[in-house]
Amino acid sequence: MDLTVISENGITSGTVSGLISGLLVAFALGILDKTSKPRLELQRINDETALLRNNGFRTVAFGDTFALEKGNDLLYPKDGFRGRLSEMRCEGRNEIVVGCGIRLGESLSITYKPLWWSEIFPNRYWRYIQNQTAQADVMTVLERTNRPWFTADGACSRFKKYSSAEYSKPVRLCGWRMTHLPLKPL
């Protein structure tokens, strides 16, 4: 009698532990697969439309775009959304359709800021982020991130307030990053 109880408990515990370890391995492989991709990807849909994909887990606010010999504002909202790309956000593990001013194989630089939460902040926080996106152009973010943080110039550039001629309220560009996105086929 004791042997059958022990063998049934052994089979049950072995099955449960096998299931749990299999789920943990599958979860770890899924995380590795998703994090091996770049944070932002730009894929071509047709001649003037592209898919901007956020592979990260956090919401991303966009700033400015720039490419040599092309200038600024190379990505713009599509499908009835009015405004600029800097007024849009992309949720984590999501994608948005944008208009694209470059051809297949060309690349552009884009500034972005990962945000921790997207829905729980009040409107005042979003106005603050919107003010930052208006001033987070590529050259300013590149100048700020080019210097190492442990040098005197790097530390001063982290705390410097940037202002533009058209905006009256200067802001600190904390947490803004820049990446280069090549336009890939879908």
Side-chain angles (χ1 to χ4, degrees):
M1 196 82 160
D2 290 333
L3 293 176
T4 58
V5 171
I6 292 173
S7 67
E8 287 176 5
N9 287 340
I11 291 173
T12 305
S13 65
T15 303
V16 169
S17 67
L19 250 162
I20 291 172
S21 65
L23 288 173
L24 287 175
V25 168
F27 181 73
L29 288 176
I31 293 290
L32 285 175
D33 179 48
K34 296 298 183 185
T35 56
S36 66
K37 294 179 182 176
R39 163 152 252 152
L40 298 173
E41 285 182 316
L42 187 63
Q43 295 179 336
R44 178 181 172 206
I45 295 176
N46 62 23
D47 289 340
E48 294 181 2
T49 308
L51 189 68
L52 183 58
R53 182 173 289 146
N54 178 9
N55 291 325
F57 292 105
R58 297 192 298 180
T59 301
V60 171
F62 300 109
D64 190 27
T65 59
F66 179 77
L68 290 175
E69 299 177 0
K70 297 275 185 178
N72 294 349
D73 296 329
L74 298 172
L75 296 180
Y76 50 90
K78 197 87 170 178
D79 296 336
F81 186 85
R82 295 181 185 166
R84 300 177 57 192
L85 181 73
S86 62
E87 298 170 1
M88 298 177 73
R89 293 184 296 272
C90 187
E91 300 291 326
R93 319 299 298 153
N94 209 344
E95 54 200 25
I96 57 174
V97 176
V98 294
C100 189
I102 61 173
R103 293 187 305 240
L104 193 61
E106 294 179 341
S107 65
L108 57 88
S109 299
I110 187 170
T111 58
Y112 68 96
K113 181 177 184 173
L115 307 172
W116 281 103
W117 298 279
S118 62
E119 299 296 328
I120 64 172
F121 286 122
N123 288 335
R124 183 177 180 190
Y125 177 76
W126 290 123
R127 284 193 301 265
Y128 175 71
I129 294 295
Q130 195 66 33
N131 195 13
Q132 283 186 354
T133 60
Q135 296 183 24
D137 64 340
V138 173
M139 295 305 165
T140 304
V141 173
L142 178 65
E143 173 192 335
R144 183 186 166 279
T145 57
N146 233 6
R147 299 181 186 119
W149 62 269
F150 50 84
T151 63
D153 286 339
C156 289
S157 71
R158 297 296 193 276
F159 293 111
K160 180 180 176 185
K161 282 193 170 186
Y162 294 94
S163 63
S164 177
E166 57 185 278
Y167 301 103
S168 62
K169 193 173 186 182
V171 297
R172 287 191 173 93
L173 297 177
C174 298
W176 283 90
R177 301 175 185 165
M178 186 182 75
T179 188
H180 304 287
L181 298 175
L183 183 59
K184 301 176 187 174
L186 188 60

